[in-house]
Amino acid sequence: AMWKTYLGRPETDAGRLMSMGTLANAFCLNGRGEEAIPVLEALLVLLRRIGCDGEYMLATKCNLANCLHDAGRLDEALVLERELYASHVAMCGVSDERSITIGSNLANTLTHKGFWNECISLLRDQLLPAARQSLGPRHHVTLGLSHRLAEALRFNPECTREVLRLSQ
């Protein structure tokens, strides 16, 4: 238990913070996302307490959203993913690769929740144009977004020919 080595250290100790992140990642990678959630939540509390608002905070929030999604807690994941996407787009723009990836995660959750129209709009109007421009049309992320749009169109019970025509 590596994290126990750092447990007695101050909250601001980098080793302690990284060990908590490593523990959460190990849980996630081994299909134990439900166990990672309280670790990530505790890590976020610590990061906020010490005033961290950078890349490590963003990565931790993204990991938490992914774990919530994997654990079937889609409502919580959706709230966090919307917050992450909006704040990252505001900071870096929609064409930033990280913004596109966070948006892809949001689109995935929207699909799983059955919010077809919102997912289609996000993909068609924001993510796909940005991905094609900044990553290229043959980039694996761009292709994944195209696939996700096709799935959303396919499974949307309200999909009409006009919506299909607009999505081409």
Side-chain angles (χ1 to χ4, degrees):
M2 172 185 80
W3 69 273
K4 286 185 181 180
T5 304
Y6 301 99
L7 193 59
R9 293 190 180 189
E11 289 182 347
T12 57
D13 183 74
R16 178 181 177 155
L17 297 172
M18 286 189 290
S19 69
M20 289 177 74
T22 301
L23 174 64
N25 289 336
F27 281 141
C28 289
L29 291 172
N30 288 294
R32 296 167 58 183
E34 196 68 54
E35 293 175 74
I37 292 169
V39 176
L40 290 167
E41 288 171 338
L43 181 56
L44 283 172
V45 168
L46 282 176
L47 292 172
R48 283 186 193 109
R49 192 177 301 148
I50 64 172
C52 178
D53 61 356
E55 187 66 26
Y56 195 64
M57 176 72 90
L58 176 67
T60 303
K61 286 181 177 181
C62 287
N63 289 342
L64 177 58
N66 290 336
C67 286
L68 289 167
H69 181 99
D70 292 345
R73 293 166 59 177
L74 298 179
D75 292 328
E76 294 169 81
L78 187 57
V79 168
L80 188 52
E81 287 169 347
R82 282 183 170 142
E83 173 196 318
L84 285 166
Y85 182 66
S87 64
H88 204 271
V89 167
M91 284 189 320
C92 302
V94 72
S95 294
D96 179 73
E97 187 170 359
R98 187 76 179 243
S99 294
I100 294 168
T101 301
I102 293 168
S104 177
N105 290 343
L106 173 57
N108 186 39
T109 302
L110 290 169
T111 299
H112 282 93
K113 289 285 295 172
F115 297 154
W116 309 112
N117 293 331
E118 186 178 351
C119 179
I120 291 166
S121 177
L122 175 67
L123 289 165
R124 185 184 57 219
D125 302 337
Q126 294 179 42
L127 295 176
L128 269 168
R132 286 183 186 123
Q133 179 185 21
S134 61
L135 304 175
R138 291 188 172 91
H139 191 277
H140 69 92
V141 172
T142 306
L143 294 172
L145 292 170
S146 296
H147 182 263
R148 183 156 292 130
L149 176 59
E151 283 184 333
L153 290 167
R154 178 177 165 223
F155 292 114
N156 183 358
E158 300 172 9
C159 190
T160 63
R161 285 182 186 221
E162 180 64 20
V163 171
L164 289 173
R165 189 184 65 72
L166 288 172
S167 296
Q168 292 181 352

